[in-house]
Amino acid sequence: MAKYLIGVDFQAGDDPAPMSDWTPEEVQAHLDYYEKLVGELEANGELVSSTILTGPDLAKIVRSDGAAPVVTDGPFQEFKEWLAGFQVVEVDSEERALEIASLMSAVPGRGGVPTRQPIHVRQVMEEAPANTDEMDAFLRTAGGTR
């Protein structure tokens, strides 16, 4: 079995209206859908962890030369593109991870219409690169060849 990160993008998908424009019932339906889906993943034994992140306005960037860290606010990518949270699932196949992502993308928005919210799917590496050959192989998959 492999682990996959299912990243939930804050972007609302096809409807550009911010959630602050939704009715309380629409927001609750959105939250209820996620709660039910996460409950099903837990019951199936597929959910490893689930995390919601604070907004980018509370995030910090840390850079260090090994001695003196510099901590700053931002700059951050466009507001519509930040990661709102993620789940780690352990499933038999990539196809199942993609199926779960599809279910998350269909979370209801205004009027109960599926949002088609962008969902990131990435396999969790079992081991970090330990030598230059393994790092070269990893960089090729990340588009960062030397």
Side-chain angles (χ1 to χ4, degrees), residues 88-114:
V88 176
V89 296
E90 189 168 24
V91 293
D92 290 329
S93 65
E94 181 180 282
E95 289 75 25
R96 176 61 180 147
L98 295 173
E99 179 182 355
I100 293 167
S102 175
L103 292 169
M104 291 192 172
S105 180
V107 64
R110 292 191 307 160
V113 176

mmCIF file of all heavy atoms in Angstrom, residues 88-114:
data_model
loop_
_atom_site.group_PDB
_atom_site.id
_atom_site.type_symbol
_atom_site.label_atom_id
_atom_site.label_comp_id
_atom_site.label_asym_id
_atom_site.label_seq_id
_atom_site.Cartn_x
_atom_site.Cartn_y
_atom_site.Cartn_z
ATOM 1 N N VAL A 88 -3.619 12.719 4.376
ATOM 2 C CA VAL A 88 -2.723 11.666 3.922
ATOM 3 C C VAL A 88 -3.533 10.384 3.993
ATOM 4 O O VAL A 88 -4.122 10.070 5.031
ATOM 5 C CB VAL A 88 -1.452 11.574 4.794
ATOM 6 C CG1 VAL A 88 -0.591 10.391 4.353
ATOM 7 C CG2 VAL A 88 -0.654 12.876 4.721
ATOM 8 N N VAL A 89 -3.595 9.697 2.858
ATOM 9 C CA VAL A 89 -4.336 8.447 2.791
ATOM 10 C C VAL A 89 -3.375 7.316 2.436
ATOM 11 O O VAL A 89 -2.359 7.533 1.768
ATOM 12 C CB VAL A 89 -5.487 8.509 1.759
ATOM 13 C CG1 VAL A 89 -6.531 9.538 2.173
ATOM 14 C CG2 VAL A 89 -4.980 8.806 0.362
ATOM 15 N N GLU A 90 -3.691 6.131 2.908
ATOM 16 C CA GLU A 90 -2.922 4.946 2.548
ATOM 17 C C GLU A 90 -3.873 4.025 1.809
ATOM 18 O O GLU A 90 -4.863 3.550 2.382
ATOM 19 C CB GLU A 90 -2.353 4.270 3.787
ATOM 20 C CG GLU A 90 -1.385 3.168 3.463
ATOM 21 C CD GLU A 90 -0.604 2.698 4.679
ATOM 22 O OE1 GLU A 90 -1.090 2.869 5.823
ATOM 23 O OE2 GLU A 90 0.485 2.153 4.472
ATOM 24 N N VAL A 91 -3.583 3.839 0.529
ATOM 25 C CA VAL A 91 -4.497 3.112 -0.346
ATOM 26 C C VAL A 91 -3.736 2.096 -1.198
ATOM 27 O O VAL A 91 -2.516 2.147 -1.293
ATOM 28 C CB VAL A 91 -5.276 4.093 -1.255
ATOM 29 C CG1 VAL A 91 -6.219 4.956 -0.427
ATOM 30 C CG2 VAL A 91 -4.344 4.987 -2.048
ATOM 31 N N ASP A 92 -4.492 1.199 -1.813
ATOM 32 C CA ASP A 92 -3.891 0.133 -2.618
ATOM 33 C C ASP A 92 -3.317 0.615 -3.940
ATOM 34 O O ASP A 92 -2.468 -0.055 -4.516
ATOM 35 C CB ASP A 92 -4.923 -0.964 -2.893
ATOM 36 C CG ASP A 92 -5.263 -1.754 -1.642
ATOM 37 O OD1 ASP A 92 -4.392 -1.912 -0.769
ATOM 38 O OD2 ASP A 92 -6.421 -2.209 -1.538
ATOM 39 N N SER A 93 -3.823 1.758 -4.440
ATOM 40 C CA SER A 93 -3.393 2.171 -5.774
ATOM 41 C C SER A 93 -3.512 3.687 -5.947
ATOM 42 O O SER A 93 -4.255 4.347 -5.223
ATOM 43 C CB SER A 93 -4.249 1.484 -6.841
ATOM 44 O OG SER A 93 -5.590 1.941 -6.738
ATOM 45 N N GLU A 94 -2.806 4.175 -6.950
ATOM 46 C CA GLU A 94 -2.939 5.581 -7.314
ATOM 47 C C GLU A 94 -4.364 5.877 -7.776
ATOM 48 O O GLU A 94 -4.900 6.952 -7.515
ATOM 49 C CB GLU A 94 -1.945 5.947 -8.419
ATOM 50 C CG GLU A 94 -2.038 7.409 -8.820
ATOM 51 C CD GLU A 94 -1.061 7.786 -9.916
ATOM 52 O OE1 GLU A 94 0.126 7.976 -9.610
ATOM 53 O OE2 GLU A 94 -1.518 7.883 -11.076
ATOM 54 N N GLU A 95 -4.982 4.902 -8.436
ATOM 55 C CA GLU A 95 -6.358 5.095 -8.904
ATOM 56 C C GLU A 95 -7.298 5.410 -7.744
ATOM 57 O O GLU A 95 -8.176 6.261 -7.862
ATOM 58 C CB GLU A 95 -6.849 3.854 -9.671
ATOM 59 C CG GLU A 95 -6.192 3.659 -11.024
ATOM 60 C CD GLU A 95 -4.752 3.131 -10.939
ATOM 61 O OE1 GLU A 95 -4.373 2.477 -9.928
ATOM 62 O OE2 GLU A 95 -3.986 3.403 -11.874
ATOM 63 N N ARG A 96 -7.112 4.726 -6.600
ATOM 64 C CA ARG A 96 -7.963 4.999 -5.433
ATOM 65 C C ARG A 96 -7.667 6.401 -4.889
ATOM 66 O O ARG A 96 -8.593 7.123 -4.505
ATOM 67 C CB ARG A 96 -7.756 3.942 -4.344
ATOM 68 C CG ARG A 96 -8.526 4.212 -3.066
ATOM 69 C CD ARG A 96 -10.034 4.247 -3.274
ATOM 70 N NE ARG A 96 -10.711 4.504 -1.997
ATOM 71 C CZ ARG A 96 -11.826 5.181 -1.866
ATOM 72 N NH1 ARG A 96 -12.480 5.628 -2.931
ATOM 73 N NH2 ARG A 96 -12.356 5.383 -0.683
ATOM 74 N N ALA A 97 -6.414 6.813 -4.870
ATOM 75 C CA ALA A 97 -6.073 8.166 -4.418
ATOM 76 C C ALA A 97 -6.741 9.197 -5.321
ATOM 77 O O ALA A 97 -7.277 10.212 -4.836
ATOM 78 C CB ALA A 97 -4.560 8.361 -4.400
ATOM 79 N N LEU A 98 -6.748 8.948 -6.625
ATOM 80 C CA LEU A 98 -7.395 9.865 -7.561
ATOM 81 C C LEU A 98 -8.912 9.870 -7.376
ATOM 82 O O LEU A 98 -9.558 10.915 -7.512
ATOM 83 C CB LEU A 98 -7.026 9.505 -9.002
ATOM 84 C CG LEU A 98 -5.544 9.667 -9.351
ATOM 85 C CD1 LEU A 98 -5.264 9.118 -10.741
ATOM 86 C CD2 LEU A 98 -5.090 11.101 -9.215
ATOM 87 N N GLU A 99 -9.479 8.721 -7.037
ATOM 88 C CA GLU A 99 -10.915 8.642 -6.764
ATOM 89 C C GLU A 99 -11.272 9.486 -5.533
ATOM 90 O O GLU A 99 -12.256 10.221 -5.533
ATOM 91 C CB GLU A 99 -11.315 7.188 -6.542
ATOM 92 C CG GLU A 99 -12.782 6.995 -6.238
ATOM 93 C CD GLU A 99 -13.129 5.530 -5.970
ATOM 94 O OE1 GLU A 99 -12.263 4.641 -6.107
ATOM 95 O OE2 GLU A 99 -14.286 5.287 -5.593
ATOM 96 N N ILE A 100 -10.461 9.395 -4.491
ATOM 97 C CA ILE A 100 -10.685 10.198 -3.280
ATOM 98 C C ILE A 100 -10.568 11.684 -3.611
ATOM 99 O O ILE A 100 -11.392 12.500 -3.193
ATOM 100 C CB ILE A 100 -9.705 9.786 -2.167
ATOM 101 C CG1 ILE A 100 -10.025 8.363 -1.689
ATOM 102 C CG2 ILE A 100 -9.751 10.780 -1.003
ATOM 103 C CD1 ILE A 100 -8.948 7.747 -0.821
ATOM 104 N N ALA A 101 -9.567 12.046 -4.397
ATOM 105 C CA ALA A 101 -9.399 13.444 -4.800
ATOM 106 C C ALA A 101 -10.612 13.927 -5.582
ATOM 107 O O ALA A 101 -11.074 15.064 -5.395
ATOM 108 C CB ALA A 101 -8.129 13.605 -5.631
ATOM 109 N N SER A 102 -11.153 13.068 -6.427
ATOM 110 C CA SER A 102 -12.345 13.426 -7.197
ATOM 111 C C SER A 102 -13.530 13.694 -6.276
ATOM 112 O O SER A 102 -14.295 14.645 -6.483
ATOM 113 C CB SER A 102 -12.671 12.294 -8.176
ATOM 114 O OG SER A 102 -13.873 12.554 -8.846
ATOM 115 N N LEU A 103 -13.679 12.878 -5.253
ATOM 116 C CA LEU A 103 -14.755 13.085 -4.280
ATOM 117 C C LEU A 103 -14.574 14.420 -3.551
ATOM 118 O O LEU A 103 -15.541 15.129 -3.288
ATOM 119 C CB LEU A 103 -14.800 11.928 -3.280
ATOM 120 C CG LEU A 103 -15.225 10.583 -3.857
ATOM 121 C CD1 LEU A 103 -14.968 9.461 -2.859
ATOM 122 C CD2 LEU A 103 -16.682 10.614 -4.292
ATOM 123 N N MET A 104 -13.330 14.765 -3.230
ATOM 124 C CA MET A 104 -13.080 16.044 -2.559
ATOM 125 C C MET A 104 -13.341 17.218 -3.484
ATOM 126 O O MET A 104 -13.847 18.248 -3.065
ATOM 127 C CB MET A 104 -11.667 16.074 -2.010
ATOM 128 C CG MET A 104 -11.493 15.127 -0.861
ATOM 129 S SD MET A 104 -9.978 15.400 0.008
ATOM 130 C CE MET A 104 -10.240 14.294 1.376
ATOM 131 N N SER A 105 -13.022 17.072 -4.742
ATOM 132 C CA SER A 105 -13.254 18.139 -5.714
ATOM 133 C C SER A 105 -14.734 18.424 -5.912
ATOM 134 O O SER A 105 -15.118 19.534 -6.270
ATOM 135 C CB SER A 105 -12.609 17.774 -7.048
ATOM 136 O OG SER A 105 -12.810 18.786 -7.998
ATOM 137 N N ALA A 106 -15.553 17.422 -5.643
ATOM 138 C CA ALA A 106 -17.000 17.559 -5.839
ATOM 139 C C ALA A 106 -17.717 18.148 -4.625
ATOM 140 O O ALA A 106 -18.940 18.171 -4.586
ATOM 141 C CB ALA A 106 -17.607 16.200 -6.190
ATOM 142 N N VAL A 107 -16.965 18.665 -3.644
ATOM 143 C CA VAL A 107 -17.581 19.273 -2.455
ATOM 144 C C VAL A 107 -18.569 20.355 -2.901
ATOM 145 O O VAL A 107 -18.297 21.100 -3.842
ATOM 146 C CB VAL A 107 -16.501 19.844 -1.501
ATOM 147 C CG1 VAL A 107 -15.724 20.970 -2.141
ATOM 148 C CG2 VAL A 107 -17.108 20.302 -0.186
ATOM 149 N N PRO A 108 -19.759 20.407 -2.278
ATOM 150 C CA PRO A 108 -20.751 21.388 -2.738
ATOM 151 C C PRO A 108 -20.368 22.825 -2.385
ATOM 152 O O PRO A 108 -19.776 23.090 -1.351
ATOM 153 C CB PRO A 108 -22.032 20.971 -2.014
ATOM 154 C CG PRO A 108 -21.589 20.186 -0.841
ATOM 155 C CD PRO A 108 -20.292 19.559 -1.205
ATOM 156 N N GLY A 109 -20.719 23.707 -3.287
ATOM 157 C CA GLY A 109 -20.541 25.144 -3.088
ATOM 158 C C GLY A 109 -21.891 25.832 -3.065
ATOM 159 O O GLY A 109 -22.887 25.252 -2.610
ATOM 160 N N ARG A 110 -21.935 27.039 -3.621
ATOM 161 C CA ARG A 110 -23.192 27.791 -3.633
ATOM 162 C C ARG A 110 -24.258 27.025 -4.410
ATOM 163 O O ARG A 110 -23.987 26.446 -5.454
ATOM 164 C CB ARG A 110 -22.985 29.168 -4.260
ATOM 165 C CG ARG A 110 -22.128 30.064 -3.406
ATOM 166 C CD ARG A 110 -22.107 31.496 -3.859
ATOM 167 N NE ARG A 110 -21.754 31.623 -5.266
ATOM 168 C CZ ARG A 110 -22.037 32.692 -5.998
ATOM 169 N NH1 ARG A 110 -22.656 33.719 -5.465
ATOM 170 N NH2 ARG A 110 -21.683 32.749 -7.256
ATOM 171 N N GLY A 111 -25.453 27.015 -3.852
ATOM 172 C CA GLY A 111 -26.564 26.334 -4.497
ATOM 173 C C GLY A 111 -26.417 24.819 -4.536
ATOM 174 O O GLY A 111 -27.123 24.146 -5.277
ATOM 175 N N GLY A 112 -25.461 24.273 -3.773
ATOM 176 C CA GLY A 112 -25.256 22.830 -3.758
ATOM 177 C C GLY A 112 -24.512 22.288 -4.965
ATOM 178 O O GLY A 112 -24.351 21.090 -5.122
ATOM 179 N N VAL A 113 -24.031 23.190 -5.831
ATOM 180 C CA VAL A 113 -23.333 22.782 -7.050
ATOM 181 C C VAL A 113 -21.901 22.370 -6.699
ATOM 182 O O VAL A 113 -21.205 23.086 -5.973
ATOM 183 C CB VAL A 113 -23.310 23.949 -8.072
ATOM 184 C CG1 VAL A 113 -22.499 23.585 -9.294
ATOM 185 C CG2 VAL A 113 -24.727 24.337 -8.450
ATOM 186 N N PRO A 114 -21.423 21.209 -7.175
ATOM 187 C CA PRO A 114 -20.038 20.809 -6.911
ATOM 188 C C PRO A 114 -19.060 21.909 -7.331
ATOM 189 O O PRO A 114 -19.195 22.494 -8.413
ATOM 190 C CB PRO A 114 -19.855 19.546 -7.756
ATOM 191 C CG PRO A 114 -21.233 18.991 -7.896
ATOM 192 C CD PRO A 114 -22.137 20.202 -7.976
#
